[in-house]
Amino acid sequence: MTEKLFYQDSHLGEFEAEVISCEPFSDASGKKTPKLWAAELDRTAFFPEGGGQYADTGILGGVRVVDVQEKGEHVLHLLEGPLEPGSHVTGTIDWEERFMKMQQHSGEHIVSGLVHSWFGYNNVGFHLGSEDCTMDFDGELSKEQLAGIEREANRAVWKNLEIQTLYPSKDELDGMEYRSKIEIEGQVRIIVVPGYDVCACCAPHVSRTGEIGLIKLTRVQRYKGGARVTMLCGVRALEDYAVKQEQAGEISALLCAKENEIAESVRHLKEESDSLKYELGEKEKKLIAAKADMIPKDGKPVCIFTDDVEGDSMRLFMNLVLEAGHGVCAIFHGNESDGYRYVIGSRERDGRQMNMRDFVKEFNAAFDGRGGGKPEMVQGTARGSEDEMRAWILEKAGEA
């Protein structure tokens, strides 16, 4: 059994220990993992993965620790190389990473405790990821409610409260009100943030709430009938603020606006952009109408390859040509090396109308195409030479 030093002192970053065993690591299926060794110590400050928090990393006896897993009462350190059983080694935790995780996890306790006490919602999922952490609650939260939670959570930080760790007896536990996502057998470890949260938890935490530094709730979204809240604490919140400040400064310079006025400037810029897009769209419609009007109104099938008509405008071009009395119209945009996008449509003429679904199946087979649509209109992509595709379209549409 490994003595778990991380429960005695969450701020212990270096320790001495004896190597009990060290063997090639095997996963849950029994398959050995190349280049990984599993070492068990008589004592460790490395926290294994648990409680929604991923494991510590660091150095053990000069060898890199890449993961830590708990198997019953045993704590296995996954190493990039072997250690000699019976040897005494020094373990050094990647402290900046450990402290960052303790900031996030301690902040989660405060936020989850507040959500539970204010709204009666339970935390049904916590994940401390490599960039942020998320909390899932079994009830919905609005942005306004989240803002209130954030303000009060930071008041808890400013109070610099001592975070307590309790190991109550079964009788004491039966008389306690505490949060817990799972049924726990054996000794229960309780984390208390006075006035904010009482929760069963196995992970290390900061000693006082002031060490959290800052709690920032960055997002709330509906999730499985409840809410998923994204949070940044401490160093992560500071790094996030630095990135956003730099971006705000760049946007401010580009817009020639003060940083606290960039949203209004962007809104104004978007309005101008939308207006210009509308004007360009109207002019493009007139241009396409002029192009369509230039096509002889003889009712013959039409196949057009264009450089300046694309997207939805291709369909508009096709419809204008068909409305002028042509039975079939195909519009292509692209080139032979990259391929073409196409829109092909038909209208009833002389009592008959081609079924475009059947038509495009043959076309796709002939020109490595993909696409489909309705009997009167199809669209997709194809590859081939312009001359060959035009000849195929006109021949199949009845014009040799």
Side-chain angles (χ1 to χ4, degrees), residues 88-261:
H88 287 77
V89 294
T90 298
T92 305
I93 293 170
D94 289 332
W95 176 249
E96 293 298 326
E97 182 182 6
R98 156 69 86 81
F99 186 68
M100 175 275 295
K101 289 185 287 189
M102 292 199 303
Q103 286 180 317
Q104 315 310 308
H105 208 144
S106 301
E108 179 270 325
H109 276 265
I110 295 173
V111 172
S112 294
L114 284 168
V115 170
H116 183 72
S117 62
W118 286 16
F119 306 108
Y121 302 154
N122 297 305
N123 181 323
V124 293
F126 170 63
H127 176 68
L128 203 169
S130 58
E131 295 182 356
D132 54 31
C133 65
T134 58
M135 299 162 283
D136 297 335
F137 297 101
D138 57 5
E140 292 188 10
L141 292 167
S142 67
K143 291 183 179 179
E144 292 74 21
Q145 290 172 330
L146 200 68
I149 290 290
E150 181 182 271
R151 284 192 297 270
E152 186 57 36
N154 280 287
R155 289 192 185 99
V157 172
W158 304 330
K159 291 176 183 178
N160 198 28
L161 301 166
E162 180 182 0
I163 296 181
Q164 304 167 6
T165 303
L166 307 178
Y167 294 90
S169 66
K170 187 178 184 306
D171 290 340
E172 290 172 330
L173 192 66
D174 290 341
M176 293 179 65
E177 290 189 9
Y178 64 97
R179 295 190 304 109
S180 178
K181 293 190 289 289
I182 59 174
E183 291 293 329
I184 303 173
E185 296 182 1
Q187 178 66 65
V188 177
R189 182 172 181 261
I190 300 291
I191 300 298
V192 179
V193 184
Y196 290 90
D197 191 40
V198 180
C199 182
C201 185
C202 64
H205 299 79
V206 297
S207 299
R208 306 188 75 91
T209 57
E211 293 180 85
I212 299 170
L214 173 68
I215 296 175
K216 184 63 185 174
L217 305 181
T218 60
R219 186 183 183 193
V220 60
Q221 61 190 111
R222 289 179 177 175
Y223 183 75
K224 293 184 177 180
R228 167 165 286 183
V229 176
T230 304
M231 178 183 72
L232 301 170
C233 293
V235 64
R236 281 188 173 178
L238 180 63
E239 291 171 350
D240 181 68
Y241 184 87
V243 170
K244 289 177 179 175
Q245 186 179 33
E246 182 178 359
Q247 292 178 347
E250 291 179 8
I251 296 170
S252 172
L254 289 170
L255 297 176
C256 298
K258 295 179 180 179
E259 286 189 19
N260 60 352
E261 297 175 354

Side-chain angles (χ1 to χ4, degrees), residues 342-395:
Y342 65 76
V343 176
I344 310 173
S346 69
R347 291 287 190 277
E348 184 177 340
R349 179 172 172 77
D350 298 330
R352 58 186 290 269
Q353 180 176 356
M354 295 191 67
N355 186 319
M356 288 292 101
R357 283 180 174 170
D358 297 335
F359 185 88
V360 82
K361 285 180 182 178
E362 293 186 50
F363 177 77
N364 286 339
F367 295 99
D368 190 24
R370 292 187 177 184
K374 301 177 181 179
E376 63 273 10
M377 193 275 287
V378 292
Q379 56 187 344
T381 59
R383 288 183 174 275
S385 75
E386 178 179 333
D387 291 341
E388 290 174 348
M389 285 194 282
R390 177 183 282 108
W392 194 98
I393 292 287
L394 295 180
E395 180 182 359

Side-chain angles (χ1 to χ4, degrees), residues 281-303:
E282 292 302 305
K283 290 179 179 179
E284 185 172 21
K285 288 178 183 178
K286 291 179 181 179
L287 177 62
I288 291 171
K291 285 177 176 288
D293 196 50
M294 293 172 63
I295 298 171
K297 297 176 176 56
D298 54 12
K300 295 181 179 180
V302 174
C303 183

Side-chain angles (χ1 to χ4, degrees), residues 322-343:
L322 293 174
E323 288 169 6
H326 297 272
V328 174
C329 177
I331 308 292
F332 290 85
H333 173 80
N335 55 65
E336 291 187 16
S337 60
D338 298 327
Y340 292 91
R341 295 195 64 83
Y342 65 76
V343 176

